[in-house]
Amino acid sequence: MTERGNESHENVPSRQRRRFAGISSRAYEHPADRSALVALRKLSGFDTVFKTLSGLLPERSLRLLFLSDSVRVSDAQFAHLNDMLRDACYILDLEKVPPMYVTQDPQPNAMCIGLDEPIIVVTTGLVELLDEEEMRAVIGHEVGHALSGHAVYRTILLFLTNIALKVAWIPLGNVAIMAIVTALREWFRKSELSADRAGLLVGQDLQASMRGLMKIAGGNHLHEMNVDAFLAQADEYEKGGDLRDSVLKILNLLPRSHPFTTVRAAELKKWSETRDYQRIMDGHYPRRDEDKDTSVTDSFRESAAHYADTVRSSKDPLLKLVGDIAGGAGDLGGKLRDKFTGQGGSSAGKGGATDGSAGPEEPRNSDGPGTGTGPGTAGS
């Protein structure tokens, strides 16, 4: 282990890694993270809820809870995790090292929460599951959350999720809260993609990041798993099925706070192969002292370009359909009808696929499967 000062983390990490002095979180933030956060802030009632909860959330109680019933990482306790935490803060140039706690929980998990000052919590299940380099990427992931200011919104999400359960009996009360919870979850899933990138910048070992994600998905059985096969699952998930599967994917994702693990792995690998990542590793990246001069319009433009590119390149049937329609390839109603009923190909052979005479018959034939096996079944 590397020697550490008592009050400073500005030491060379245990193996030579690049340090990103003054790096701005803009360097690694996923465009979808930024745009989802902008959409969240525009949600009706969010500002009121945010300001109210900022004064009501029991942050001091939360800190006392972890202090009293978890193990605080230090030079005396979980020293190897303390080394990794200081390394991560050193590499991302986070001036103040956030407190980190290990809490007893067999479920592998980690989080960065807090309003005034972030704290990092990792479970024993995660500590026991990952090796040193995999754990380094996870701690870098959480430090990335801290640098991006994500802890505040994560804390509010946890609080509102708990509140939603308590006010479910109030007419319309739960609906209003769940609207904000749903928007928060959408943003948080995108923020995980940003933090995964931060974890890679800290660990600087793509294979370790991939292994960590595989273990979170499949447990401590690396000898039974393969990175290429794991990434192939993400590709199959993205392009497989029809429009009904696309809708089911959305319904499966809505209650989750994290993206699916295979998708996270594929997104991270894709980013590691980009010029943007290479430029950061070469020392060319946005800096915090430039944040105040950043154009909001440019951020919107970058997010819009990202989504347009996603639609163009996606193999998902729904997004491909959206791309076709945006390009003027046909009308939305007709294409959705044909895709869901599977009549797009067969109707061409009838000679009347696109004229008015065939129109009235198709909706009658599609009512059964369209409503009986659609998303309503999955939702239940």
Side-chain angles (χ1 to χ4, degrees), residues 94-133:
L94 188 64
E95 293 182 4
K96 187 172 183 180
V97 179
M100 184 162 76
Y101 296 88
V102 176
T103 189
Q104 172 62 32
D105 186 344
Q107 183 71 25
N109 197 13
M111 59 182 174
C112 180
I113 55 176
L115 295 178
D116 297 326
E117 295 181 0
I119 63 173
I120 295 172
V121 181
V122 296
T123 65
T124 51
L126 189 69
V127 174
E128 292 162 4
L129 178 66
L130 304 182
D131 68 24
E132 180 174 341
E133 292 305 308

mmCIF file of all heavy atoms in Angstrom, residues 94-133:
data_model
loop_
_atom_site.group_PDB
_atom_site.id
_atom_site.type_symbol
_atom_site.label_atom_id
_atom_site.label_comp_id
_atom_site.label_asym_id
_atom_site.label_seq_id
_atom_site.Cartn_x
_atom_site.Cartn_y
_atom_site.Cartn_z
ATOM 1 N N LEU A 94 -10.938 15.840 -6.196
ATOM 2 C CA LEU A 94 -11.991 16.246 -5.275
ATOM 3 C C LEU A 94 -11.312 16.681 -3.985
ATOM 4 O O LEU A 94 -10.669 15.883 -3.307
ATOM 5 C CB LEU A 94 -12.943 15.079 -5.016
ATOM 6 C CG LEU A 94 -14.212 15.383 -4.212
ATOM 7 C CD1 LEU A 94 -15.123 16.351 -4.973
ATOM 8 C CD2 LEU A 94 -14.965 14.086 -3.892
ATOM 9 N N GLU A 95 -11.447 17.961 -3.659
ATOM 10 C CA GLU A 95 -10.644 18.543 -2.590
ATOM 11 C C GLU A 95 -10.917 17.916 -1.223
ATOM 12 O O GLU A 95 -9.994 17.657 -0.453
ATOM 13 C CB GLU A 95 -10.881 20.053 -2.521
ATOM 14 C CG GLU A 95 -10.349 20.798 -3.748
ATOM 15 C CD GLU A 95 -10.550 22.287 -3.636
ATOM 16 O OE1 GLU A 95 -11.027 22.742 -2.575
ATOM 17 O OE2 GLU A 95 -10.242 22.996 -4.609
ATOM 18 N N LYS A 96 -12.182 17.690 -0.896
ATOM 19 C CA LYS A 96 -12.514 17.143 0.408
ATOM 20 C C LYS A 96 -12.939 15.690 0.270
ATOM 21 O O LYS A 96 -13.878 15.377 -0.455
ATOM 22 C CB LYS A 96 -13.636 17.953 1.062
ATOM 23 C CG LYS A 96 -13.919 17.541 2.500
ATOM 24 C CD LYS A 96 -14.896 18.501 3.175
ATOM 25 C CE LYS A 96 -15.106 18.109 4.636
ATOM 26 N NZ LYS A 96 -16.050 19.037 5.315
ATOM 27 N N VAL A 97 -12.243 14.799 0.979
ATOM 28 C CA VAL A 97 -12.563 13.376 0.915
ATOM 29 C C VAL A 97 -13.861 13.125 1.688
ATOM 30 O O VAL A 97 -13.946 13.402 2.882
ATOM 31 C CB VAL A 97 -11.424 12.524 1.516
ATOM 32 C CG1 VAL A 97 -11.787 11.041 1.452
ATOM 33 C CG2 VAL A 97 -10.114 12.796 0.799
ATOM 34 N N PRO A 98 -14.910 12.610 1.031
ATOM 35 C CA PRO A 98 -16.160 12.369 1.749
ATOM 36 C C PRO A 98 -16.028 11.195 2.724
ATOM 37 O O PRO A 98 -15.270 10.256 2.458
ATOM 38 C CB PRO A 98 -17.163 12.058 0.635
ATOM 39 C CG PRO A 98 -16.361 11.694 -0.548
ATOM 40 C CD PRO A 98 -14.995 12.285 -0.384
ATOM 41 N N PRO A 99 -16.735 11.243 3.859
ATOM 42 C CA PRO A 99 -16.731 10.087 4.763
ATOM 43 C C PRO A 99 -17.317 8.867 4.054
ATOM 44 O O PRO A 99 -18.245 9.000 3.251
ATOM 45 C CB PRO A 99 -17.642 10.530 5.921
ATOM 46 C CG PRO A 99 -17.765 12.009 5.796
ATOM 47 C CD PRO A 99 -17.586 12.334 4.351
ATOM 48 N N MET A 100 -16.773 7.697 4.347
ATOM 49 C CA MET A 100 -17.281 6.463 3.754
ATOM 50 C C MET A 100 -17.551 5.446 4.851
ATOM 51 O O MET A 100 -16.771 5.329 5.806
ATOM 52 C CB MET A 100 -16.310 5.893 2.718
ATOM 53 C CG MET A 100 -16.853 4.657 2.000
ATOM 54 S SD MET A 100 -16.002 4.272 0.448
ATOM 55 C CE MET A 100 -14.483 3.561 1.051
ATOM 56 N N TYR A 101 -18.659 4.734 4.733
ATOM 57 C CA TYR A 101 -19.066 3.753 5.726
ATOM 58 C C TYR A 101 -19.297 2.410 5.060
ATOM 59 O O TYR A 101 -19.744 2.331 3.912
ATOM 60 C CB TYR A 101 -20.352 4.190 6.427
ATOM 61 C CG TYR A 101 -20.216 5.454 7.235
ATOM 62 C CD1 TYR A 101 -20.414 6.701 6.650
ATOM 63 C CD2 TYR A 101 -19.876 5.404 8.583
ATOM 64 C CE1 TYR A 101 -20.283 7.868 7.383
ATOM 65 C CE2 TYR A 101 -19.746 6.572 9.332
ATOM 66 C CZ TYR A 101 -19.947 7.794 8.728
ATOM 67 O OH TYR A 101 -19.815 8.945 9.456
ATOM 68 N N VAL A 102 -19.007 1.349 5.799
ATOM 69 C CA VAL A 102 -19.358 -0.012 5.396
ATOM 70 C C VAL A 102 -20.507 -0.454 6.289
ATOM 71 O O VAL A 102 -20.407 -0.399 7.517
ATOM 72 C CB VAL A 102 -18.168 -0.975 5.550
ATOM 73 C CG1 VAL A 102 -18.601 -2.403 5.216
ATOM 74 C CG2 VAL A 102 -17.007 -0.554 4.656
ATOM 75 N N THR A 103 -21.611 -0.848 5.665
ATOM 76 C CA THR A 103 -22.783 -1.260 6.432
ATOM 77 C C THR A 103 -23.113 -2.718 6.140
ATOM 78 O O THR A 103 -22.927 -3.198 5.014
ATOM 79 C CB THR A 103 -23.994 -0.354 6.109
ATOM 80 O OG1 THR A 103 -25.060 -0.636 7.012
ATOM 81 C CG2 THR A 103 -24.485 -0.560 4.683
ATOM 82 N N GLN A 104 -23.590 -3.424 7.159
ATOM 83 C CA GLN A 104 -23.891 -4.847 7.034
ATOM 84 C C GLN A 104 -25.144 -5.056 6.188
ATOM 85 O O GLN A 104 -26.248 -4.681 6.561
ATOM 86 C CB GLN A 104 -24.104 -5.453 8.428
ATOM 87 C CG GLN A 104 -24.616 -6.893 8.434
ATOM 88 C CD GLN A 104 -23.646 -7.861 7.785
ATOM 89 O OE1 GLN A 104 -22.439 -7.680 7.842
ATOM 90 N NE2 GLN A 104 -24.170 -8.894 7.160
ATOM 91 N N ASP A 105 -24.939 -5.624 5.017
ATOM 92 C CA ASP A 105 -26.040 -5.914 4.110
ATOM 93 C C ASP A 105 -25.515 -6.884 3.060
ATOM 94 O O ASP A 105 -24.553 -6.565 2.353
ATOM 95 C CB ASP A 105 -26.544 -4.624 3.443
ATOM 96 C CG ASP A 105 -27.790 -4.842 2.593
ATOM 97 O OD1 ASP A 105 -28.100 -6.004 2.259
ATOM 98 O OD2 ASP A 105 -28.451 -3.848 2.249
ATOM 99 N N PRO A 106 -26.109 -8.066 2.945
ATOM 100 C CA PRO A 106 -25.598 -9.042 1.963
ATOM 101 C C PRO A 106 -25.832 -8.628 0.518
ATOM 102 O O PRO A 106 -25.206 -9.168 -0.385
ATOM 103 C CB PRO A 106 -26.394 -10.321 2.306
ATOM 104 C CG PRO A 106 -27.636 -9.831 2.981
ATOM 105 C CD PRO A 106 -27.241 -8.594 3.731
ATOM 106 N N GLN A 107 -26.732 -7.665 0.289
ATOM 107 C CA GLN A 107 -27.000 -7.204 -1.078
ATOM 108 C C GLN A 107 -25.867 -6.294 -1.543
ATOM 109 O O GLN A 107 -25.586 -5.276 -0.903
ATOM 110 C CB GLN A 107 -28.325 -6.439 -1.116
ATOM 111 C CG GLN A 107 -28.745 -5.974 -2.501
ATOM 112 C CD GLN A 107 -29.184 -7.124 -3.396
ATOM 113 O OE1 GLN A 107 -29.611 -8.158 -2.912
ATOM 114 N NE2 GLN A 107 -29.068 -6.932 -4.700
ATOM 115 N N PRO A 108 -25.180 -6.621 -2.653
ATOM 116 C CA PRO A 108 -24.100 -5.745 -3.134
ATOM 117 C C PRO A 108 -24.654 -4.395 -3.561
ATOM 118 O O PRO A 108 -25.504 -4.320 -4.450
ATOM 119 C CB PRO A 108 -23.531 -6.508 -4.335
ATOM 120 C CG PRO A 108 -24.000 -7.917 -4.171
ATOM 121 C CD PRO A 108 -25.326 -7.828 -3.483
ATOM 122 N N ASN A 109 -24.195 -3.334 -2.932
ATOM 123 C CA ASN A 109 -24.717 -2.015 -3.263
ATOM 124 C C ASN A 109 -23.754 -0.948 -2.765
ATOM 125 O O ASN A 109 -22.940 -1.179 -1.866
ATOM 126 C CB ASN A 109 -26.099 -1.812 -2.626
ATOM 127 C CG ASN A 109 -26.859 -0.656 -3.261
ATOM 128 O OD1 ASN A 109 -26.485 -0.152 -4.328
ATOM 129 N ND2 ASN A 109 -27.905 -0.199 -2.614
ATOM 130 N N ALA A 110 -23.847 0.222 -3.352
ATOM 131 C CA ALA A 110 -23.085 1.389 -2.905
ATOM 132 C C ALA A 110 -23.909 2.616 -3.246
ATOM 133 O O ALA A 110 -24.691 2.599 -4.197
ATOM 134 C CB ALA A 110 -21.719 1.454 -3.597
ATOM 135 N N MET A 111 -23.760 3.679 -2.467
ATOM 136 C CA MET A 111 -24.509 4.896 -2.749
ATOM 137 C C MET A 111 -23.763 6.106 -2.219
ATOM 138 O O MET A 111 -22.946 6.005 -1.300
ATOM 139 C CB MET A 111 -25.919 4.838 -2.149
ATOM 140 C CG MET A 111 -25.966 4.645 -0.660
ATOM 141 S SD MET A 111 -27.695 4.531 -0.091
ATOM 142 C CE MET A 111 -27.449 4.122 1.648
ATOM 143 N N CYS A 112 -24.065 7.237 -2.821
ATOM 144 C CA CYS A 112 -23.516 8.526 -2.404
ATOM 145 C C CYS A 112 -24.716 9.420 -2.107
ATOM 146 O O CYS A 112 -25.492 9.737 -3.012
ATOM 147 C CB CYS A 112 -22.645 9.116 -3.508
ATOM 148 S SG CYS A 112 -21.915 10.717 -3.095
ATOM 149 N N ILE A 113 -24.885 9.802 -0.854
ATOM 150 C CA ILE A 113 -26.052 10.574 -0.442
ATOM 151 C C ILE A 113 -25.603 11.757 0.411
ATOM 152 O O ILE A 113 -24.450 11.839 0.832
ATOM 153 C CB ILE A 113 -27.055 9.707 0.347
ATOM 154 C CG1 ILE A 113 -26.359 9.032 1.545
ATOM 155 C CG2 ILE A 113 -27.700 8.669 -0.544
ATOM 156 C CD1 ILE A 113 -27.286 8.237 2.422
ATOM 157 N N GLY A 114 -26.553 12.659 0.686
ATOM 158 C CA GLY A 114 -26.261 13.824 1.513
ATOM 159 C C GLY A 114 -26.648 15.108 0.810
ATOM 160 O O GLY A 114 -26.610 15.187 -0.416
ATOM 161 N N LEU A 115 -27.029 16.110 1.583
ATOM 162 C CA LEU A 115 -27.427 17.395 1.021
ATOM 163 C C LEU A 115 -26.301 18.414 1.101
ATOM 164 O O LEU A 115 -25.875 18.967 0.100
ATOM 165 C CB LEU A 115 -28.661 17.923 1.757
ATOM 166 C CG LEU A 115 -29.943 17.091 1.589
ATOM 167 C CD1 LEU A 115 -31.066 17.693 2.397
ATOM 168 C CD2 LEU A 115 -30.341 17.003 0.130
ATOM 169 N N ASP A 116 -25.830 18.688 2.315
ATOM 170 C CA ASP A 116 -24.747 19.661 2.473
ATOM 171 C C ASP A 116 -23.401 19.080 2.073
ATOM 172 O O ASP A 116 -22.632 19.697 1.351
ATOM 173 C CB ASP A 116 -24.693 20.151 3.926
ATOM 174 C CG ASP A 116 -25.962 20.874 4.327
ATOM 175 O OD1 ASP A 116 -26.543 21.547 3.455
ATOM 176 O OD2 ASP A 116 -26.373 20.758 5.490
ATOM 177 N N GLU A 117 -23.128 17.872 2.544
ATOM 178 C CA GLU A 117 -21.877 17.196 2.225
ATOM 179 C C GLU A 117 -22.178 15.734 1.914
ATOM 180 O O GLU A 117 -22.896 15.083 2.670
ATOM 181 C CB GLU A 117 -20.886 17.293 3.388
ATOM 182 C CG GLU A 117 -20.431 18.710 3.690
ATOM 183 C CD GLU A 117 -19.425 18.749 4.829
ATOM 184 O OE1 GLU A 117 -19.102 17.658 5.359
ATOM 185 O OE2 GLU A 117 -18.974 19.845 5.178
ATOM 186 N N PRO A 118 -21.629 15.205 0.823
ATOM 187 C CA PRO A 118 -21.918 13.805 0.474
ATOM 188 C C PRO A 118 -21.222 12.819 1.403
ATOM 189 O O PRO A 118 -20.138 13.097 1.931
ATOM 190 C CB PRO A 118 -21.372 13.688 -0.951
ATOM 191 C CG PRO A 118 -20.316 14.739 -1.047
ATOM 192 C CD PRO A 118 -20.766 15.864 -0.160
ATOM 193 N N ILE A 119 -21.862 11.687 1.614
ATOM 194 C CA ILE A 119 -21.224 10.551 2.272
ATOM 195 C C ILE A 119 -21.399 9.337 1.373
ATOM 196 O O ILE A 119 -22.373 9.244 0.617
ATOM 197 C CB ILE A 119 -21.798 10.273 3.684
ATOM 198 C CG1 ILE A 119 -23.282 9.879 3.596
ATOM 199 C CG2 ILE A 119 -21.598 11.447 4.592
ATOM 200 C CD1 ILE A 119 -23.855 9.441 4.938
ATOM 201 N N ILE A 120 -20.441 8.422 1.434
ATOM 202 C CA ILE A 120 -20.463 7.223 0.604
ATOM 203 C C ILE A 120 -20.710 6.022 1.508
ATOM 204 O O ILE A 120 -20.097 5.897 2.583
ATOM 205 C CB ILE A 120 -19.144 7.062 -0.167
ATOM 206 C CG1 ILE A 120 -18.983 8.217 -1.170
ATOM 207 C CG2 ILE A 120 -19.092 5.719 -0.904
ATOM 208 C CD1 ILE A 120 -17.624 8.254 -1.853
ATOM 209 N N VAL A 121 -21.605 5.159 1.085
ATOM 210 C CA VAL A 121 -21.928 3.952 1.846
ATOM 211 C C VAL A 121 -21.765 2.747 0.931
ATOM 212 O O VAL A 121 -22.284 2.746 -0.202
ATOM 213 C CB VAL A 121 -23.370 3.998 2.394
ATOM 214 C CG1 VAL A 121 -23.669 2.738 3.211
ATOM 215 C CG2 VAL A 121 -23.597 5.249 3.241
ATOM 216 N N VAL A 122 -21.035 1.735 1.384
ATOM 217 C CA VAL A 122 -20.915 0.481 0.635
ATOM 218 C C VAL A 122 -21.353 -0.655 1.548
ATOM 219 O O VAL A 122 -21.169 -0.600 2.763
ATOM 220 C CB VAL A 122 -19.473 0.236 0.131
ATOM 221 C CG1 VAL A 122 -19.056 1.307 -0.854
ATOM 222 C CG2 VAL A 122 -18.478 0.179 1.284
ATOM 223 N N THR A 123 -21.937 -1.667 0.964
ATOM 224 C CA THR A 123 -22.417 -2.789 1.773
ATOM 225 C C THR A 123 -21.341 -3.866 1.883
ATOM 226 O O THR A 123 -20.440 -3.965 1.048
ATOM 227 C CB THR A 123 -23.676 -3.407 1.154
ATOM 228 O OG1 THR A 123 -23.350 -3.988 -0.126
ATOM 229 C CG2 THR A 123 -24.771 -2.354 0.972
ATOM 230 N N THR A 124 -21.483 -4.695 2.912
ATOM 231 C CA THR A 124 -20.544 -5.812 3.089
ATOM 232 C C THR A 124 -20.656 -6.782 1.912
ATOM 233 O O THR A 124 -19.666 -7.398 1.514
ATOM 234 C CB THR A 124 -20.835 -6.556 4.395
ATOM 235 O OG1 THR A 124 -22.243 -6.885 4.462
ATOM 236 C CG2 THR A 124 -20.484 -5.693 5.600
ATOM 237 N N GLY A 125 -21.867 -6.904 1.362
ATOM 238 C CA GLY A 125 -22.033 -7.786 0.209
ATOM 239 C C GLY A 125 -21.169 -7.362 -0.956
ATOM 240 O O GLY A 125 -20.603 -8.207 -1.671
ATOM 241 N N LEU A 126 -21.023 -6.064 -1.171
ATOM 242 C CA LEU A 126 -20.191 -5.559 -2.257
ATOM 243 C C LEU A 126 -18.710 -5.743 -1.946
ATOM 244 O O LEU A 126 -17.925 -6.150 -2.811
ATOM 245 C CB LEU A 126 -20.496 -4.079 -2.491
ATOM 246 C CG LEU A 126 -19.868 -3.456 -3.731
ATOM 247 C CD1 LEU A 126 -20.518 -4.018 -4.994
ATOM 248 C CD2 LEU A 126 -20.012 -1.935 -3.721
ATOM 249 N N VAL A 127 -18.320 -5.441 -0.704
ATOM 250 C CA VAL A 127 -16.917 -5.577 -0.302
ATOM 251 C C VAL A 127 -16.443 -7.015 -0.458
ATOM 252 O O VAL A 127 -15.317 -7.277 -0.893
ATOM 253 C CB VAL A 127 -16.731 -5.096 1.157
ATOM 254 C CG1 VAL A 127 -15.307 -5.369 1.636
ATOM 255 C CG2 VAL A 127 -17.050 -3.606 1.271
ATOM 256 N N GLU A 128 -17.306 -7.952 -0.126
ATOM 257 C CA GLU A 128 -16.935 -9.370 -0.200
ATOM 258 C C GLU A 128 -16.976 -9.906 -1.631
ATOM 259 O O GLU A 128 -16.341 -10.910 -1.939
ATOM 260 C CB GLU A 128 -17.875 -10.191 0.687
ATOM 261 C CG GLU A 128 -17.686 -9.906 2.174
ATOM 262 C CD GLU A 128 -18.866 -10.367 3.021
ATOM 263 O OE1 GLU A 128 -19.804 -10.988 2.446
ATOM 264 O OE2 GLU A 128 -18.863 -10.101 4.231
ATOM 265 N N LEU A 129 -17.703 -9.238 -2.504
ATOM 266 C CA LEU A 129 -17.871 -9.723 -3.872
ATOM 267 C C LEU A 129 -16.731 -9.325 -4.797
ATOM 268 O O LEU A 129 -16.303 -10.107 -5.651
ATOM 269 C CB LEU A 129 -19.195 -9.179 -4.433
ATOM 270 C CG LEU A 129 -19.550 -9.519 -5.876
ATOM 271 C CD1 LEU A 129 -19.803 -11.023 -6.031
ATOM 272 C CD2 LEU A 129 -20.777 -8.729 -6.332
ATOM 273 N N LEU A 130 -16.195 -8.097 -4.632
ATOM 274 C CA LEU A 130 -15.274 -7.536 -5.619
ATOM 275 C C LEU A 130 -13.819 -7.644 -5.179
ATOM 276 O O LEU A 130 -13.506 -7.571 -3.986
ATOM 277 C CB LEU A 130 -15.621 -6.060 -5.860
ATOM 278 C CG LEU A 130 -17.057 -5.751 -6.300
ATOM 279 C CD1 LEU A 130 -17.213 -4.261 -6.543
ATOM 280 C CD2 LEU A 130 -17.435 -6.542 -7.543
ATOM 281 N N ASP A 131 -12.931 -7.769 -6.159
ATOM 282 C CA ASP A 131 -11.505 -7.715 -5.851
ATOM 283 C C ASP A 131 -11.069 -6.240 -5.789
ATOM 284 O O ASP A 131 -11.871 -5.324 -5.968
ATOM 285 C CB ASP A 131 -10.674 -8.520 -6.864
ATOM 286 C CG ASP A 131 -10.657 -7.926 -8.278
ATOM 287 O OD1 ASP A 131 -10.879 -6.699 -8.430
ATOM 288 O OD2 ASP A 131 -10.416 -8.683 -9.234
ATOM 289 N N GLU A 132 -9.782 -6.006 -5.558
ATOM 290 C CA GLU A 132 -9.307 -4.641 -5.301
ATOM 291 C C GLU A 132 -9.551 -3.701 -6.484
ATOM 292 O O GLU A 132 -10.058 -2.593 -6.308
ATOM 293 C CB GLU A 132 -7.812 -4.658 -4.955
ATOM 294 C CG GLU A 132 -7.270 -3.262 -4.688
ATOM 295 C CD GLU A 132 -5.819 -3.270 -4.203
ATOM 296 O OE1 GLU A 132 -5.356 -4.330 -3.734
ATOM 297 O OE2 GLU A 132 -5.162 -2.219 -4.288
ATOM 298 N N GLU A 133 -9.210 -4.137 -7.691
ATOM 299 C CA GLU A 133 -9.370 -3.256 -8.851
ATOM 300 C C GLU A 133 -10.833 -3.023 -9.198
ATOM 301 O O GLU A 133 -11.217 -1.936 -9.636
ATOM 302 C CB GLU A 133 -8.608 -3.821 -10.052
ATOM 303 C CG GLU A 133 -7.095 -3.802 -9.885
ATOM 304 C CD GLU A 133 -6.568 -2.406 -9.569
ATOM 305 O OE1 GLU A 133 -6.905 -1.462 -10.311
ATOM 306 O OE2 GLU A 133 -5.845 -2.248 -8.575
#
